[in-house]
């Protein structure tokens, strides 16, 4: 399979499945847009394996091990459009492919049903599943100051993942998963347990305080992560700014009404995502 055909496949994956990220990726010039689409498509493949709750855990772990092995020799899979595109992207950009290994580590933790006692434990997970994507994206964006930019790309990924965790508390709970640190639950006197009707049994005020505390922590990570933008070229900064802007708006909604966020998934309408994206493109001027 040739590279252009492979890239078109990856761009179709982004358009159909990326939801929030597609608004940022479309702001990039063609070469970087294709490369980041390849990165996203492979990351999405890994996530989908980890999230396939209908499959036995042993099967999912075996599939993740297979993807780890394929990553070690991208050129050995000429009929796989995602790997063909990713191999071409890695030849054109300094993409740290080893970061995909950390993403796989995080997905393996999901499959094993690991929980997190402290925020330091949860930070490890966030750095694996999202900080790694931040570093991969930075490889496509490029920067004149990688030493300072890499930890900020990592921080931005952590911020986005913390937002995801707060957004998905109900969905994760229904799948038997709790990501919030156990010590935070104890601190606020919450369990996140539900009664037979599916309603949370914790005191509403305590729940709201818990969510606001976690949201404030995510906001601090955005503060660090957004220091990345001045280190990027204008369109790369607009891409990262659009992605971060959409998730920050989700975080603001969660903070405004934390109890509602615990009962249904917080999301933005398409017009609002487009508006955030447009502001990101218009607001980055150098």
């Amino acid at each position: 399979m040739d590279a252009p055909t492979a890239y078109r496949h990856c761009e179709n994956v982004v358009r159909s499945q990326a939801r929030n990220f597609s608004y940022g990726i479309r702001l990039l010039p063609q070469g970087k847009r294709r490369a980041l689409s390849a990165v996203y498509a492979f990351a999405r493949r890994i996530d989908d394996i980890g999230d396939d709750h209908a499959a036995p855990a042993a099967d999912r772990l075996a599939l993740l091990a297979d993807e780890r092995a394929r990553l070690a020799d991208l050129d050995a899979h000429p009929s796989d459009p995602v790997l063909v595109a990713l191999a071409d992207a890695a030849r054109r950009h300094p993409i740290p492919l080893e970061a995909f290994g950390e993403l796989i580590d995080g997905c393996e933790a999901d499959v094993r049903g690991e929980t997190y006692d402290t925020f330091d434990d949860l930070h490890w997970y966030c750095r694996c599943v999202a900080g790694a994507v931040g570093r991969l994206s930075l490889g496509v964006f490029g920067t004149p100051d990688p030493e300072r930019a890499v930890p900020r790309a990592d921080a931005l990924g952590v911020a986005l993942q913390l937002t995801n965790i707060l957004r998905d508390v109900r969905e994760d709970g229904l799948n038997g998963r709790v990501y919030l640190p156990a010590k935070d639950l104890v601190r606020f006197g919450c369990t996140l347990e539900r009664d037979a009707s599916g309603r949370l049994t914790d005191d509403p005020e305590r729940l709201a305080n818990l969510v606001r505390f976690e949201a404030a922590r995510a906001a601090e990570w955005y503060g660090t992560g957004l220091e990345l933008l001045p280190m990027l070229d204008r369109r790369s900064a607009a891409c990262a700014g659009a992605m971060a802007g959409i998730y920050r708006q989700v975080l603001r909604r969660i903070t405004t009404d934390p109890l509602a966020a615990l009962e249904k998934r917080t999301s933005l309408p398409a017009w609002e995502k487009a508006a955030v994206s447009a502001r990101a493109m218009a607001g980055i001027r150098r």
Side-chain angles (χ1 to χ4, degrees):
M1 178 180 298
D2 62 25
T5 301
Y7 279 127
R8 283 195 293 274
H9 170 83
C10 293
E11 289 181 301
N12 285 335
V13 171
V14 169
R15 279 192 292 270
S16 63
Q17 301 181 48
R19 298 180 185 175
N20 295 333
F21 284 139
S22 65
Y23 288 89
I25 290 175
R26 69 181 63 170
L27 301 179
L28 293 170
Q30 184 184 63
K32 290 184 178 183
R33 184 176 69 247
R34 286 181 169 183
L36 196 54
S37 294
V39 167
Y40 174 84
F42 189 64
R44 182 59 187 247
R45 175 184 293 181
I46 295 168
D47 284 344
D48 285 347
I49 293 170
D51 289 341
D52 184 7
H53 302 289
D59 291 352
R60 286 185 280 163
L61 290 172
L63 289 172
L64 289 170
D66 289 344
E67 295 304 329
R68 195 188 295 272
R70 291 189 182 98
L71 185 63
D73 190 4
L74 293 176
D75 291 321
H77 308 279
S79 62
D80 186 322
V82 174
L83 298 186
V84 169
L86 188 58
D88 188 76
R91 285 189 286 269
R92 297 173 185 271
H93 304 277
I95 299 172
L97 294 175
E98 65 276 6
F100 278 117
E102 294 178 62
L103 175 58
I104 293 171
D105 289 342
C107 287
E108 288 175 340
D110 276 340
V111 174
R112 291 192 296 267
E114 292 187 11
T115 56
Y116 304 99
D117 187 48
T118 68
F119 178 72
D120 285 344
D121 299 329
L122 181 61
H123 175 252
W124 170 85
Y125 170 76
C126 292
R127 190 175 185 277
C128 284
V129 299
V133 177
R135 281 173 268 131
L136 289 158
S137 300
L138 181 61
V140 174
F141 295 152
T143 177
D145 191 359
E147 184 174 350
R148 293 178 61 235
V150 167
R152 287 161 176 79
D154 211 351
L156 193 56
V158 170
L160 267 60
Q161 186 60 29
L162 291 174
T163 305
N164 274 338
I165 287 170
L166 288 173
R167 181 193 63 184
D168 295 340
V169 166
R170 177 178 172 80
E171 181 180 340
D172 290 332
L174 293 174
N175 287 318
R177 294 303 315 271
V178 175
Y179 286 94
L180 296 180
K183 288 189 174 178
D184 289 353
L185 297 180
V186 171
R187 174 180 175 178
F188 288 92
C190 297
T191 65
L192 298 184
E193 293 178 356
R194 294 178 182 271
D195 60 23
S197 67
R199 295 180 63 84
L200 287 162
T201 59
D202 294 314
D203 175 78
E205 184 176 355
R206 291 180 178 182
L207 283 170
N209 289 337
L210 169 66
V211 172
R212 291 193 181 102
F213 173 79
E214 303 295 352
R217 174 181 276 156
E220 290 180 3
W221 283 94
Y222 280 112
T224 300
L226 288 169
E227 294 175 2
L228 173 68
L229 301 192
M231 304 177 193
L232 306 177
D233 67 80
R234 187 174 71 87
R235 291 180 69 175
S236 294
C239 173
M243 294 176 182
I246 289 169
Y247 277 84
R248 285 181 85 196
Q249 186 63 13
V250 169
L251 185 67
R252 291 188 189 103
R253 290 194 174 193
I254 291 171
T255 305
T256 299
D257 195 349
L259 295 180
L262 291 172
E263 294 302 332
K264 65 178 182 178
R265 198 172 196 259
T266 303
S267 61
L268 304 183
W271 69 265
E272 192 168 352
K273 295 177 185 178
V276 171
S277 180
R279 287 197 296 272
M281 191 64 185
I284 304 295
R285 299 297 184 200
R286 287 196 285 282

